[in-house]
């Protein structure tokens, strides 16, 4: 609701203005009144009104001085001037302060109401424009940061985007990803309101804390988990990781209690290059996949979890290599690895702890395989009991059997997916891209044309084609560019535009990256090959 400050040295006039029209009905709140410009400016600073209705000539600071001070703040305050018949020279001076309008005393109620309505309309329009701008900026920011941690953006382009987003990385030498999950496996089904509240509440809290501490930034990934990117200028990765863990543990403890939400924070291994942030992010996601089953909410990295689970088996990277095998249905590769893990557990100092640690790694492997397949719908069909049972079992053989039961369920989903033909939506998307690839296209635009969620369409498309939407679109455009280079004399920059690349520099980089040579080199090779064929 817009706020109004009334300024006049005559108390009778001030009271009259307050009751002259129905301010509340117009959506305006009167937040104060003052008898002169000096007191009015103090109230202006404390109340921040969007509207100021002021007389010009007053003994305790005139209206001109007040308006000059307000405009010096560069705020979009609407100024309405009150004047007498002999004040017009003052009114002319007031005009340089971009006043909304001026009113002669005695004030006409109808005229005042029309001016107030106009001000309210402008304030609401500006508020809506600002909201759209903020939401658009936030969408762009989220998109860039997700592409960064998913390794889907080139280093040069990443630095340009981060500079635009005012995320300074010029001196950054280390980067570490932490992912916060907010769903406890032992909870029941959450309400839609709760599912919306938790991620955004955690995101807002962590982004503010990271910004205040100068430690990095936060955003939401496609699964609505909160990702914290910790940025460091030093070179000691171990000290950097240790400091981040301590800071996040303190922040997690405070925020989880304040927001009253489950809170599982997993830190990936730190990376010493910006373009390796995806390795830290992938490690954090794997670690998080098993944390919601292991007990109370916690904040941990791989080293601290391994220390709490003596006798941990293979390295996380070894499990990562088994994800494609599980996702491809190659049971002959993953099943022997399971047997080796649980055969080694009894030889450890604490066999049960070692077995449960291995179980958490296999749960993470199963979830990552389903994520790779974009099989979220199928994942939801698996009962939570399958993921929770290994941690409730009291012997190594029982835990082994629980893990095998889970992996067999995932293997059944893999076989089911491989037996299906492409989904109708995937076929429609491919057809639409082939027809419109020369135009400006985004996943959101195509999803809108097909009346589906962009997140769902993106996952389905990747699962069934093996390519991300943007990669598939770029491939179509590059294939057409290759044809044009070989068959026409158009300039490469003209071909880029014809094929749907709005940025010719991006076209040149992408062409060299995918084809292995520049457009000019490709044209020369194609023309040479055609000449030899004619001979």
């Amino acid at each position: 609701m817009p706020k109004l400050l009334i300024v006049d040295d005559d108390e009778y006039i001030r009271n009259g203005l307050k009751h002259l029209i129905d301010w509340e009905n117009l959506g305006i709140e009167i937040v104060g009144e003052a008898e002169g410009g000096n007191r009015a400016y103090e109230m202006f600073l404390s109340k921040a009104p969007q509207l100021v209705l002021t007389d010009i000539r007053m003994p305790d600071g005139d209206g001109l001085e007040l308006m000059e001070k307000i405009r010096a703040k560069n705020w979009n305050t609407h100024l309405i001037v009150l004047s007498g018949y002999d004040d017009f020279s003052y009114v002319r001076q007031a005009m340089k302060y971009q006043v909304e309008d001026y009113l002669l005393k005695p004030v006409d109620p109808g005229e005042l109401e029309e001016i107030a309505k106009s001000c309210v309309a402008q304030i609401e329009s500006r508020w809506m424009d600002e909201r759209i701008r903020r939401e658009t900026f936030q969408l762009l920011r989220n998109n860039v940061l997700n592409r960064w941690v998913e390794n889907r953006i080139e280093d040069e382009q990443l630095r340009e985007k981060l500079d635009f987003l005012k995320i300074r990385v010029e001196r950054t030498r280390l980067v570490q990803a932490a992912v916060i999950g907010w769903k406890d496996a032992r909870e029941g089904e959450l309400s839609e309101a709760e599912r919306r509240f938790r991620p955004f509440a955690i995101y807002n809290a962590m982004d503010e804390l990271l910004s205040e501490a100068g430690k990095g930034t936060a955003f939401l990934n496609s699964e609505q988990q909160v990702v914290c990117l910790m940025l460091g200028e030093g070179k000691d990765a171990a000290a950097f990781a240790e400091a981040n863990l301590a800071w996040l543990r303190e922040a997690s403890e405070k925020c989880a209690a304040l927001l009253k939400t489950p809170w599982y924070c997993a830190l990936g291994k730190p990376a010493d290059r910006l373009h390796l942030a995806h390795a830290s992010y992938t490690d954090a996601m794997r670690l998080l996949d098993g944390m919601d089953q292991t007990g109370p909410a916690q904040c941990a990295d791989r080293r601290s979890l391994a220390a709490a689970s003596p006798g941990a088996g293979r390295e996380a990277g070894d499990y990562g290599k088994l994800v494609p095998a599980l996702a491809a249905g190659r049971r002959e590769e993953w099943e022997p690895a399971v047997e080796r893990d649980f055969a080694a557990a009894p030889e450890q100092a604490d066999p049960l702890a070692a077995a449960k640690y291995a179980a958490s790694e296999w749960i993470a492997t199963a979830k990552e395989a389903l994520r790779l397949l974009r099989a979220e719908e199928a994942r939801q069909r698996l009962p939570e009991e399958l993921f929770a049972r290994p941690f409730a079992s009291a012997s190594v053989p029982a835990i082994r059997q629980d893990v095998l039961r889970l992996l067999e369920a995932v293997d059944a989903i893999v076989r089911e997916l491989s037996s299906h033909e492409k989904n109708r939506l995937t076929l429609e998307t491919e057809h639409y891209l082939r027809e419109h690839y020369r135009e400006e296209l985004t996943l959101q635009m195509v999803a809108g044309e097909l009346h589906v969620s962009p997140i769902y369409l993106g996952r389905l498309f990747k699962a069934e084609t093996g390519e991300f939407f943007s990669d598939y679109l770029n491939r179509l455009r590059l294939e057409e560019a290759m044809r044009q280079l070989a068959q026409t004399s158009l300039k490469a920059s003209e071909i880029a535009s014809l094929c749907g690349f709005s940025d010719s520099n991006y076209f040149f980089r992408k062409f060299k990256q995918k084809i292995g040579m520049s457009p000019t080199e490709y044209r020369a090779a194609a023309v040479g090959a055609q000449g030899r064929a004619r001979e």
Side-chain angles (χ1 to χ4, degrees):
M1 177 180 284
K3 295 180 286 187
L4 167 69
L5 174 62
I6 297 174
V7 190
D8 197 290
D9 60 331
D10 189 320
E11 184 179 0
Y12 174 79
I13 291 178
R14 294 199 307 272
N15 287 331
L17 290 170
K18 285 194 293 184
H19 300 96
L20 190 61
I21 62 175
D22 190 345
W23 295 102
E24 186 176 352
N25 187 53
L26 294 176
I28 296 173
E29 176 190 4
I30 299 175
V31 293
E33 55 181 286
E35 60 184 12
N38 294 333
R39 174 59 181 151
Y41 186 63
E42 292 176 5
M43 297 184 71
F44 173 80
L45 293 177
S46 63
K47 303 288 188 179
Q50 291 90 353
L51 288 153
V52 174
L53 177 58
T54 181
D55 193 6
I56 292 183
R57 290 196 291 179
M58 297 173 288
D60 185 25
D62 68 30
L64 293 176
E65 293 173 352
L66 172 63
M67 288 185 282
E68 182 179 13
K69 290 177 181 177
I70 289 174
R71 284 294 175 243
K73 287 291 183 181
N74 292 319
W75 290 359
N76 292 316
T77 309
H78 291 260
L79 303 173
I80 305 171
V81 175
L82 298 171
S83 69
Y85 281 102
D86 58 346
D87 289 342
F88 194 71
S89 61
Y90 289 98
V91 172
R92 289 196 341 186
Q93 292 181 59
M95 291 302 176
K96 68 181 180 180
Y97 299 117
Q98 299 172 310
V99 300
E100 188 69 28
D101 213 326
Y102 71 94
L103 294 162
L104 292 174
K105 299 176 181 178
V107 175
D108 177 80
E111 187 177 7
L112 177 58
E113 184 169 341
E114 287 304 312
I115 293 172
K117 284 180 179 178
S118 173
C119 290
V120 169
Q122 292 178 58
I123 291 168
E124 289 179 345
S125 175
R126 190 164 57 245
W127 178 84
M128 183 59 70
D129 289 345
E130 177 62 20
R131 178 180 175 183
I132 292 171
R133 187 195 67 78
R134 284 198 309 269
E135 290 179 351
T136 302
F137 182 83
Q138 188 62 39
L139 185 64
L140 171 64
R141 181 177 180 275
N142 236 47
N143 179 271
V144 170
L145 294 175
N146 271 296
R147 288 170 64 196
W148 183 10
V149 298
E150 292 173 2
N151 199 28
R152 294 193 292 114
I153 188 169
E154 296 176 20
D155 187 61
E156 182 181 347
Q157 188 183 20
L158 170 65
R159 291 179 181 274
E160 291 174 2
K161 300 286 188 185
L162 292 179
D163 185 59
F164 173 76
L165 296 173
K166 300 190 181 335
I167 299 175
R168 305 303 177 198
V169 295
E170 295 89 350
R171 301 175 62 185
T172 298
R173 297 292 177 270
L174 295 168
V175 59
Q176 184 175 24
V179 185
I180 301 172
W182 40 264
K183 176 72 168 70
D184 193 310
R186 292 155 296 185
E187 287 184 293
E189 188 66 26
L190 297 179
S191 68
E192 185 60 30
E194 187 69 11
R195 292 185 68 84
R196 288 198 301 267
F197 164 75
R198 289 188 185 182
F200 282 102
I202 294 172
Y203 159 71
N204 287 330
M206 293 307 299
D207 195 45
E208 183 176 346
L209 288 174
L210 285 165
S211 178
E212 288 176 354
K215 284 188 167 292
T217 190
F219 62 97
L220 293 169
N221 67 12
S222 60
E223 297 180 37
Q224 295 297 286
Q225 295 161 323
V226 180
V227 182
C228 301
L229 278 179
M230 321 291 286
L231 307 175
E233 297 179 359
K235 295 183 179 180
D236 189 337
F240 176 64
E242 187 175 346
N244 289 339
L245 178 60
W247 187 87
L248 280 167
R249 278 181 168 168
E250 183 178 354
S252 295
E253 185 177 345
K254 289 180 180 177
C255 292
L258 181 66
L259 299 175
K260 296 180 173 57
T261 175
W263 191 295
Y264 299 94
C265 180
L267 287 80
K269 292 180 180 178
D272 59 1
R273 298 286 189 279
L274 282 181
H275 68 271
L276 295 178
H278 69 278
S280 182
Y281 174 72
T282 300
D283 190 44
M285 289 290 286
R286 280 191 55 83
L287 202 58
L288 182 66
D289 278 336
M291 285 178 66
D292 61 352
Q293 304 284 353
T294 57
Q298 57 185 299
C299 181
D301 58 10
R302 193 165 295 281
R303 186 175 53 180
S304 61
L305 275 186
S309 303
R314 67 183 75 247
E315 288 290 321
D318 295 333
Y319 288 100
K321 294 171 186 175
L322 292 165
V323 170
L326 185 58
R330 297 197 297 269
R331 185 169 185 146
E332 68 279 5
E333 293 182 33
W334 60 258
E335 191 170 34
V338 175
E339 297 301 341
R340 285 195 298 272
D341 276 356
F342 289 100
E347 301 171 5
Q348 308 303 324
D350 187 339
L352 199 60
K356 289 187 177 182
Y357 185 90
S360 69
E361 290 288 5
W362 280 108
I363 286 172
T365 302
K367 289 182 178 180
E368 194 171 344
L370 292 171
R371 195 179 294 124
L372 180 66
L373 292 167
R374 297 299 191 266
E376 186 57 30
E377 290 184 3
R379 157 75 176 85
Q380 292 172 358
R381 295 205 309 264
L382 296 178
E384 285 296 335
E385 182 191 4
L386 276 177
F387 296 92
R389 187 180 295 164
F391 302 102
S393 295
S395 69
V396 172
I399 295 173
R400 168 189 166 280
Q401 192 58 42
D402 294 335
V403 168
L404 282 173
R405 190 176 292 111
L406 169 63
L407 297 179
E408 286 165 358
V410 173
D411 188 59
I413 288 173
V414 170
R415 283 185 272 107
E416 177 187 345
L417 289 174
S418 65
S419 67
H420 287 176
E421 295 182 357
K422 281 185 180 178
N423 186 286
R424 176 187 58 82
L425 271 176
T426 304
L427 295 173
E428 289 183 2
T429 303
E430 289 181 309
H431 176 74
Y432 190 90
L433 292 180
R434 285 193 295 270
E435 293 292 317
H436 299 275
Y437 67 85
R438 294 180 178 85
E439 305 167 14
E440 180 183 350
L441 286 180
T442 65
L443 177 60
Q444 287 75 13
M445 292 166 62
V446 176
E449 289 290 332
L450 300 178
H451 308 292
V452 295
S453 157
I455 293 177
Y456 173 74
L457 181 60
R459 290 177 175 178
L460 177 69
F461 192 81
K462 174 62 169 64
E464 297 205 339
T465 66
E467 293 180 277
F468 286 107
F469 175 91
S470 58
D471 293 338
Y472 187 98
L473 177 58
N474 279 334
R475 179 168 59 78
L476 291 179
R477 289 170 170 172
L478 289 173
E479 288 172 354
E480 175 62 15
M482 292 163 66
R483 191 185 69 80
Q484 293 277 353
L485 286 165
Q487 298 179 8
T488 75
S489 59
L490 292 172
K491 295 179 180 177
S493 58
E494 294 174 328
I495 291 174
S497 180
L498 283 174
C499 294
F501 289 99
S502 58
D503 183 343
S504 58
N505 289 328
Y506 177 71
F507 164 70
F508 289 123
R509 290 199 305 270
K510 187 61 69 173
F511 195 97
K512 182 71 177 290
Q513 177 188 354
K514 295 295 184 183
I515 311 304
M517 60 182 78
S518 70
T520 302
E521 292 168 337
Y522 179 83
R523 169 173 273 164
V527 171
Q530 290 169 3
R532 289 191 295 273
R534 283 193 294 270
E535 294 172 1

